[in-house]
Amino acid sequence: MKTRSSIMALVVGALIAAPTIAVAQGSGNGNGKRNGSEAQQRAQVERVQRDLERDRFHDRQRISDPAQDRDRIQDRQERLRNMATEKERQQFLAQHREEIQVRARNRNIKLDDRGNPVGED
């Protein structure tokens, strides 16, 4: 039983070490074509990482602060309450809907007739 465990450990160690040794030998062989493709792969990885970081940055900008949203809603409700006529309220709400639609278009968000976001089909 102890011998079997020792043999398994040696086999696993050899399987783990073999690719590492092969890579180390391959990188020192002076083959310019291989080094060029490795450089291309490295550049591709760097581009992907840069793109992911850029996307994360833009996502953080798109996400709004819930406290600001609450403040904005309360401000709108107070302005509506302070308006003297129904006509003023309707004009304000129409303007507000237009602003929402412009923001949605700028963010590539589709809205339904009621102004709610619509999921992609």
PDB file of all heavy atoms in Angstrom, residues 4 9 13 20 23 27 33-34 41 45 48 57 60 69-70 72-74 77 80 87 104-105 115-116 118 120:
ATOM      1  N   ARG A   4       2.472   1.625  -3.410  1.00  0.00           N
ATOM      2  CA  ARG A   4       1.513   2.128  -4.400  1.00  0.00           C
ATOM      3  C   ARG A   4       1.363   3.651  -4.277  1.00  0.00           C
ATOM      4  O   ARG A   4       1.334   4.360  -5.270  1.00  0.00           O
ATOM      5  CB  ARG A   4       0.162   1.445  -4.224  1.00  0.00           C
ATOM      6  CG  ARG A   4      -0.851   1.903  -5.233  1.00  0.00           C
ATOM      7  CD  ARG A   4      -2.157   1.229  -5.059  1.00  0.00           C
ATOM      8  NE  ARG A   4      -2.162   0.029  -5.896  1.00  0.00           N
ATOM      9  CZ  ARG A   4      -3.115  -0.867  -5.915  1.00  0.00           C
ATOM     10  NH1 ARG A   4      -4.143  -0.744  -5.096  1.00  0.00           N
ATOM     11  NH2 ARG A   4      -3.062  -1.898  -6.708  1.00  0.00           N
ATOM     12  N   ALA A   9       2.571   9.043  -6.378  1.00  0.00           N
ATOM     13  CA  ALA A   9       3.136  10.372  -6.161  1.00  0.00           C
ATOM     14  C   ALA A   9       4.193  10.669  -7.219  1.00  0.00           C
ATOM     15  O   ALA A   9       4.254  11.790  -7.752  1.00  0.00           O
ATOM     16  CB  ALA A   9       3.731  10.470  -4.764  1.00  0.00           C
ATOM     17  N   GLY A  13       3.833  13.580 -10.022  1.00  0.00           N
ATOM     18  CA  GLY A  13       4.915  14.567 -10.094  1.00  0.00           C
ATOM     19  C   GLY A  13       5.501  14.653 -11.495  1.00  0.00           C
ATOM     20  O   GLY A  13       5.776  15.744 -12.004  1.00  0.00           O
ATOM     21  N   THR A  20       6.100  21.588 -17.817  1.00  0.00           N
ATOM     22  CA  THR A  20       6.943  22.695 -17.397  1.00  0.00           C
ATOM     23  C   THR A  20       8.334  22.580 -18.012  1.00  0.00           C
ATOM     24  O   THR A  20       8.895  23.560 -18.506  1.00  0.00           O
ATOM     25  CB  THR A  20       7.047  22.724 -15.859  1.00  0.00           C
ATOM     26  OG1 THR A  20       5.743  22.733 -15.306  1.00  0.00           O
ATOM     27  CG2 THR A  20       7.825  23.916 -15.375  1.00  0.00           C
ATOM     28  N   VAL A  23       8.134  23.375 -21.803  1.00  0.00           N
ATOM     29  CA  VAL A  23       8.023  24.811 -22.058  1.00  0.00           C
ATOM     30  C   VAL A  23       9.369  25.483 -21.861  1.00  0.00           C
ATOM     31  O   VAL A  23       9.782  26.321 -22.660  1.00  0.00           O
ATOM     32  CB  VAL A  23       6.948  25.447 -21.139  1.00  0.00           C
ATOM     33  CG1 VAL A  23       7.010  26.960 -21.176  1.00  0.00           C
ATOM     34  CG2 VAL A  23       5.570  24.960 -21.546  1.00  0.00           C
ATOM     35  N   SER A  27      11.372  27.424 -24.945  1.00  0.00           N
ATOM     36  CA  SER A  27      11.604  28.863 -24.963  1.00  0.00           C
ATOM     37  C   SER A  27      13.068  29.192 -25.172  1.00  0.00           C
ATOM     38  O   SER A  27      13.396  30.281 -25.616  1.00  0.00           O
ATOM     39  CB  SER A  27      11.101  29.496 -23.659  1.00  0.00           C
ATOM     40  OG  SER A  27      11.860  29.011 -22.571  1.00  0.00           O
ATOM     41  N   LYS A  33      10.111  32.103 -34.777  1.00  0.00           N
ATOM     42  CA  LYS A  33       8.692  32.008 -35.096  1.00  0.00           C
ATOM     43  C   LYS A  33       7.875  31.729 -33.840  1.00  0.00           C
ATOM     44  O   LYS A  33       6.833  32.323 -33.613  1.00  0.00           O
ATOM     45  CB  LYS A  33       8.464  30.921 -36.134  1.00  0.00           C
ATOM     46  CG  LYS A  33       7.041  30.833 -36.615  1.00  0.00           C
ATOM     47  CD  LYS A  33       6.904  29.813 -37.719  1.00  0.00           C
ATOM     48  CE  LYS A  33       5.470  29.742 -38.196  1.00  0.00           C
ATOM     49  NZ  LYS A  33       5.304  28.761 -39.247  1.00  0.00           N
ATOM     50  N   ARG A  34       8.382  30.827 -33.013  1.00  0.00           N
ATOM     51  CA  ARG A  34       7.661  30.501 -31.786  1.00  0.00           C
ATOM     52  C   ARG A  34       7.637  31.703 -30.854  1.00  0.00           C
ATOM     53  O   ARG A  34       6.620  32.016 -30.263  1.00  0.00           O
ATOM     54  CB  ARG A  34       8.305  29.300 -31.101  1.00  0.00           C
ATOM     55  CG  ARG A  34       7.581  28.916 -29.837  1.00  0.00           C
ATOM     56  CD  ARG A  34       8.205  27.707 -29.198  1.00  0.00           C
ATOM     57  NE  ARG A  34       7.461  27.389 -27.998  1.00  0.00           N
ATOM     58  CZ  ARG A  34       7.098  26.175 -27.672  1.00  0.00           C
ATOM     59  NH1 ARG A  34       7.405  25.174 -28.444  1.00  0.00           N
ATOM     60  NH2 ARG A  34       6.438  25.949 -26.572  1.00  0.00           N
ATOM     61  N   GLN A  41       0.544  36.331 -28.684  1.00  0.00           N
ATOM     62  CA  GLN A  41      -0.403  35.865 -27.675  1.00  0.00           C
ATOM     63  C   GLN A  41      -0.380  36.767 -26.452  1.00  0.00           C
ATOM     64  O   GLN A  41      -1.421  37.115 -25.898  1.00  0.00           O
ATOM     65  CB  GLN A  41      -0.081  34.421 -27.270  1.00  0.00           C
ATOM     66  CG  GLN A  41      -0.412  33.406 -28.327  1.00  0.00           C
ATOM     67  CD  GLN A  41       0.029  32.010 -27.930  1.00  0.00           C
ATOM     68  OE1 GLN A  41       0.808  31.840 -26.993  1.00  0.00           O
ATOM     69  NE2 GLN A  41      -0.458  31.014 -28.661  1.00  0.00           N
ATOM     70  N   VAL A  45      -3.475  38.966 -25.005  1.00  0.00           N
ATOM     71  CA  VAL A  45      -3.924  38.897 -23.610  1.00  0.00           C
ATOM     72  C   VAL A  45      -3.954  40.296 -22.999  1.00  0.00           C
ATOM     73  O   VAL A  45      -4.900  40.664 -22.309  1.00  0.00           O
ATOM     74  CB  VAL A  45      -3.012  37.955 -22.785  1.00  0.00           C
ATOM     75  CG1 VAL A  45      -3.263  38.097 -21.292  1.00  0.00           C
ATOM     76  CG2 VAL A  45      -3.218  36.514 -23.216  1.00  0.00           C
ATOM     77  N   VAL A  48      -6.982  42.184 -24.326  1.00  0.00           N
ATOM     78  CA  VAL A  48      -8.214  41.704 -23.702  1.00  0.00           C
ATOM     79  C   VAL A  48      -8.325  42.250 -22.279  1.00  0.00           C
ATOM     80  O   VAL A  48      -9.390  42.718 -21.867  1.00  0.00           O
ATOM     81  CB  VAL A  48      -8.269  40.153 -23.711  1.00  0.00           C
ATOM     82  CG1 VAL A  48      -9.374  39.632 -22.817  1.00  0.00           C
ATOM     83  CG2 VAL A  48      -8.449  39.643 -25.134  1.00  0.00           C
ATOM     84  N   PHE A  57     -14.698  50.022 -16.073  1.00  0.00           N
ATOM     85  CA  PHE A  57     -14.745  51.454 -15.785  1.00  0.00           C
ATOM     86  C   PHE A  57     -16.063  52.046 -16.269  1.00  0.00           C
ATOM     87  O   PHE A  57     -16.734  52.780 -15.548  1.00  0.00           O
ATOM     88  CB  PHE A  57     -13.564  52.154 -16.451  1.00  0.00           C
ATOM     89  CG  PHE A  57     -13.600  53.650 -16.326  1.00  0.00           C
ATOM     90  CD1 PHE A  57     -13.279  54.256 -15.132  1.00  0.00           C
ATOM     91  CD2 PHE A  57     -13.977  54.434 -17.402  1.00  0.00           C
ATOM     92  CE1 PHE A  57     -13.320  55.634 -15.013  1.00  0.00           C
ATOM     93  CE2 PHE A  57     -14.020  55.804 -17.290  1.00  0.00           C
ATOM     94  CZ  PHE A  57     -13.687  56.409 -16.094  1.00  0.00           C
ATOM     95  N   ARG A  60     -18.980  50.977 -14.112  1.00  0.00           N
ATOM     96  CA  ARG A  60     -19.052  51.736 -12.864  1.00  0.00           C
ATOM     97  C   ARG A  60     -19.661  53.109 -13.105  1.00  0.00           C
ATOM     98  O   ARG A  60     -20.378  53.632 -12.256  1.00  0.00           O
ATOM     99  CB  ARG A  60     -17.666  51.876 -12.247  1.00  0.00           C
ATOM    100  CG  ARG A  60     -17.170  50.626 -11.556  1.00  0.00           C
ATOM    101  CD  ARG A  60     -15.931  50.907 -10.726  1.00  0.00           C
ATOM    102  NE  ARG A  60     -14.820  51.400 -11.505  1.00  0.00           N
ATOM    103  CZ  ARG A  60     -13.852  50.646 -12.019  1.00  0.00           C
ATOM    104  NH1 ARG A  60     -13.885  49.345 -11.842  1.00  0.00           N
ATOM    105  NH2 ARG A  60     -12.873  51.184 -12.707  1.00  0.00           N
ATOM    106  N   ASP A  69     -30.639  58.667  -6.790  1.00  0.00           N
ATOM    107  CA  ASP A  69     -31.923  58.358  -7.421  1.00  0.00           C
ATOM    108  C   ASP A  69     -33.076  58.772  -6.515  1.00  0.00           C
ATOM    109  O   ASP A  69     -34.047  59.372  -6.969  1.00  0.00           O
ATOM    110  CB  ASP A  69     -32.028  56.860  -7.742  1.00  0.00           C
ATOM    111  CG  ASP A  69     -31.121  56.446  -8.892  1.00  0.00           C
ATOM    112  OD1 ASP A  69     -30.667  57.334  -9.643  1.00  0.00           O
ATOM    113  OD2 ASP A  69     -30.879  55.245  -9.033  1.00  0.00           O
ATOM    114  N   ARG A  70     -32.973  58.448  -5.221  1.00  0.00           N
ATOM    115  CA  ARG A  70     -34.022  58.838  -4.277  1.00  0.00           C
ATOM    116  C   ARG A  70     -34.162  60.350  -4.218  1.00  0.00           C
ATOM    117  O   ARG A  70     -35.266  60.891  -4.220  1.00  0.00           O
ATOM    118  CB  ARG A  70     -33.723  58.276  -2.887  1.00  0.00           C
ATOM    119  CG  ARG A  70     -34.132  56.842  -2.691  1.00  0.00           C
ATOM    120  CD  ARG A  70     -34.079  56.449  -1.227  1.00  0.00           C
ATOM    121  NE  ARG A  70     -32.774  56.678  -0.626  1.00  0.00           N
ATOM    122  CZ  ARG A  70     -31.761  55.807  -0.668  1.00  0.00           C
ATOM    123  NH1 ARG A  70     -31.916  54.658  -1.283  1.00  0.00           N
ATOM    124  NH2 ARG A  70     -30.609  56.083  -0.096  1.00  0.00           N
ATOM    125  N   ARG A  72     -33.367  62.501  -6.525  1.00  0.00           N
ATOM    126  CA  ARG A  72     -33.930  62.968  -7.791  1.00  0.00           C
ATOM    127  C   ARG A  72     -35.447  62.757  -7.816  1.00  0.00           C
ATOM    128  O   ARG A  72     -36.205  63.624  -8.241  1.00  0.00           O
ATOM    129  CB  ARG A  72     -33.270  62.218  -8.949  1.00  0.00           C
ATOM    130  CG  ARG A  72     -33.164  63.038 -10.203  1.00  0.00           C
ATOM    131  CD  ARG A  72     -32.437  62.336 -11.318  1.00  0.00           C
ATOM    132  NE  ARG A  72     -31.135  61.851 -10.885  1.00  0.00           N
ATOM    133  CZ  ARG A  72     -30.585  60.727 -11.303  1.00  0.00           C
ATOM    134  NH1 ARG A  72     -31.193  59.966 -12.171  1.00  0.00           N
ATOM    135  NH2 ARG A  72     -29.392  60.355 -10.880  1.00  0.00           N
ATOM    136  N   ILE A  73     -35.893  61.610  -7.337  1.00  0.00           N
ATOM    137  CA  ILE A  73     -37.329  61.301  -7.313  1.00  0.00           C
ATOM    138  C   ILE A  73     -38.057  62.252  -6.358  1.00  0.00           C
ATOM    139  O   ILE A  73     -39.111  62.802  -6.698  1.00  0.00           O
ATOM    140  CB  ILE A  73     -37.563  59.826  -6.907  1.00  0.00           C
ATOM    141  CG1 ILE A  73     -37.090  58.906  -8.038  1.00  0.00           C
ATOM    142  CG2 ILE A  73     -39.023  59.568  -6.580  1.00  0.00           C
ATOM    143  CD1 ILE A  73     -37.014  57.447  -7.648  1.00  0.00           C
ATOM    144  N   GLN A  74     -37.481  62.445  -5.186  1.00  0.00           N
ATOM    145  CA  GLN A  74     -38.113  63.352  -4.220  1.00  0.00           C
ATOM    146  C   GLN A  74     -38.178  64.775  -4.764  1.00  0.00           C
ATOM    147  O   GLN A  74     -39.188  65.468  -4.589  1.00  0.00           O
ATOM    148  CB  GLN A  74     -37.361  63.319  -2.898  1.00  0.00           C
ATOM    149  CG  GLN A  74     -37.563  62.035  -2.128  1.00  0.00           C
ATOM    150  CD  GLN A  74     -36.683  61.944  -0.893  1.00  0.00           C
ATOM    151  OE1 GLN A  74     -35.787  62.757  -0.688  1.00  0.00           O
ATOM    152  NE2 GLN A  74     -36.942  60.927  -0.073  1.00  0.00           N
ATOM    153  N   GLN A  77     -41.001  64.924  -7.322  1.00  0.00           N
ATOM    154  CA  GLN A  77     -42.313  64.909  -6.670  1.00  0.00           C
ATOM    155  C   GLN A  77     -42.637  66.249  -6.014  1.00  0.00           C
ATOM    156  O   GLN A  77     -43.759  66.739  -6.097  1.00  0.00           O
ATOM    157  CB  GLN A  77     -42.363  63.776  -5.639  1.00  0.00           C
ATOM    158  CG  GLN A  77     -42.409  62.403  -6.260  1.00  0.00           C
ATOM    159  CD  GLN A  77     -42.283  61.296  -5.239  1.00  0.00           C
ATOM    160  OE1 GLN A  77     -41.879  61.518  -4.097  1.00  0.00           O
ATOM    161  NE2 GLN A  77     -42.638  60.078  -5.647  1.00  0.00           N
ATOM    162  N   LEU A  80     -43.541  68.737  -8.659  1.00  0.00           N
ATOM    163  CA  LEU A  80     -44.911  68.488  -9.139  1.00  0.00           C
ATOM    164  C   LEU A  80     -45.945  69.029  -8.151  1.00  0.00           C
ATOM    165  O   LEU A  80     -46.950  69.630  -8.550  1.00  0.00           O
ATOM    166  CB  LEU A  80     -45.143  66.989  -9.360  1.00  0.00           C
ATOM    167  CG  LEU A  80     -44.593  66.406 -10.652  1.00  0.00           C
ATOM    168  CD1 LEU A  80     -44.675  64.887 -10.621  1.00  0.00           C
ATOM    169  CD2 LEU A  80     -45.350  66.957 -11.840  1.00  0.00           C
ATOM    170  N   LYS A  87     -51.871  71.823 -16.251  1.00  0.00           N
ATOM    171  CA  LYS A  87     -51.142  72.012 -17.506  1.00  0.00           C
ATOM    172  C   LYS A  87     -49.637  72.071 -17.249  1.00  0.00           C
ATOM    173  O   LYS A  87     -48.848  71.468 -17.987  1.00  0.00           O
ATOM    174  CB  LYS A  87     -51.615  73.288 -18.203  1.00  0.00           C
ATOM    175  CG  LYS A  87     -51.020  73.487 -19.562  1.00  0.00           C
ATOM    176  CD  LYS A  87     -51.599  74.698 -20.256  1.00  0.00           C
ATOM    177  CE  LYS A  87     -51.001  74.829 -21.646  1.00  0.00           C
ATOM    178  NZ  LYS A  87     -51.546  75.966 -22.371  1.00  0.00           N
ATOM    179  N   ALA A 104     -31.828  57.056 -22.121  1.00  0.00           N
ATOM    180  CA  ALA A 104     -31.896  55.640 -22.514  1.00  0.00           C
ATOM    181  C   ALA A 104     -31.238  55.438 -23.879  1.00  0.00           C
ATOM    182  O   ALA A 104     -30.496  54.476 -24.076  1.00  0.00           O
ATOM    183  CB  ALA A 104     -33.341  55.167 -22.540  1.00  0.00           C
ATOM    184  N   ARG A 105     -31.518  56.319 -24.831  1.00  0.00           N
ATOM    185  CA  ARG A 105     -30.886  56.200 -26.151  1.00  0.00           C
ATOM    186  C   ARG A 105     -29.367  56.305 -26.039  1.00  0.00           C
ATOM    187  O   ARG A 105     -28.637  55.561 -26.693  1.00  0.00           O
ATOM    188  CB  ARG A 105     -31.410  57.273 -27.097  1.00  0.00           C
ATOM    189  CG  ARG A 105     -32.697  56.911 -27.789  1.00  0.00           C
ATOM    190  CD  ARG A 105     -32.990  57.851 -28.946  1.00  0.00           C
ATOM    191  NE  ARG A 105     -33.127  59.238 -28.530  1.00  0.00           N
ATOM    192  CZ  ARG A 105     -34.255  59.827 -28.180  1.00  0.00           C
ATOM    193  NH1 ARG A 105     -35.379  59.136 -28.185  1.00  0.00           N
ATOM    194  NH2 ARG A 105     -34.287  61.094 -27.831  1.00  0.00           N
ATOM    195  N   GLY A 115     -42.097  53.616 -20.494  1.00  0.00           N
ATOM    196  CA  GLY A 115     -40.781  54.108 -20.067  1.00  0.00           C
ATOM    197  C   GLY A 115     -39.972  53.126 -19.280  1.00  0.00           C
ATOM    198  O   GLY A 115     -38.929  53.472 -18.725  1.00  0.00           O
ATOM    199  N   ASN A 116     -40.403  51.870 -19.243  1.00  0.00           N
ATOM    200  CA  ASN A 116     -39.668  50.841 -18.524  1.00  0.00           C
ATOM    201  C   ASN A 116     -38.660  50.158 -19.454  1.00  0.00           C
ATOM    202  O   ASN A 116     -38.950  49.952 -20.635  1.00  0.00           O
ATOM    203  CB  ASN A 116     -40.623  49.786 -17.959  1.00  0.00           C
ATOM    204  CG  ASN A 116     -41.587  50.377 -16.967  1.00  0.00           C
ATOM    205  OD1 ASN A 116     -41.208  51.196 -16.140  1.00  0.00           O
ATOM    206  ND2 ASN A 116     -42.842  49.994 -17.067  1.00  0.00           N
ATOM    207  N   VAL A 118     -36.701  47.474 -21.551  1.00  0.00           N
ATOM    208  CA  VAL A 118     -37.132  46.234 -22.199  1.00  0.00           C
ATOM    209  C   VAL A 118     -35.902  45.347 -22.372  1.00  0.00           C
ATOM    210  O   VAL A 118     -34.865  45.801 -22.860  1.00  0.00           O
ATOM    211  CB  VAL A 118     -37.760  46.515 -23.581  1.00  0.00           C
ATOM    212  CG1 VAL A 118     -38.132  45.235 -24.283  1.00  0.00           C
ATOM    213  CG2 VAL A 118     -38.957  47.430 -23.429  1.00  0.00           C
ATOM    214  N   GLU A 120     -33.453  42.345 -23.888  1.00  0.00           N
ATOM    215  CA  GLU A 120     -33.110  41.909 -25.233  1.00  0.00           C
ATOM    216  C   GLU A 120     -33.771  40.574 -25.527  1.00  0.00           C
ATOM    217  O   GLU A 120     -33.836  39.699 -24.679  1.00  0.00           O
ATOM    218  CB  GLU A 120     -31.588  41.765 -25.372  1.00  0.00           C
ATOM    219  CG  GLU A 120     -30.834  43.065 -25.188  1.00  0.00           C
ATOM    220  CD  GLU A 120     -31.092  44.067 -26.310  1.00  0.00           C
ATOM    221  OE1 GLU A 120     -31.232  43.636 -27.454  1.00  0.00           O
ATOM    222  OE2 GLU A 120     -31.176  45.260 -26.015  1.00  0.00           O
TER     223      GLU A 120
END
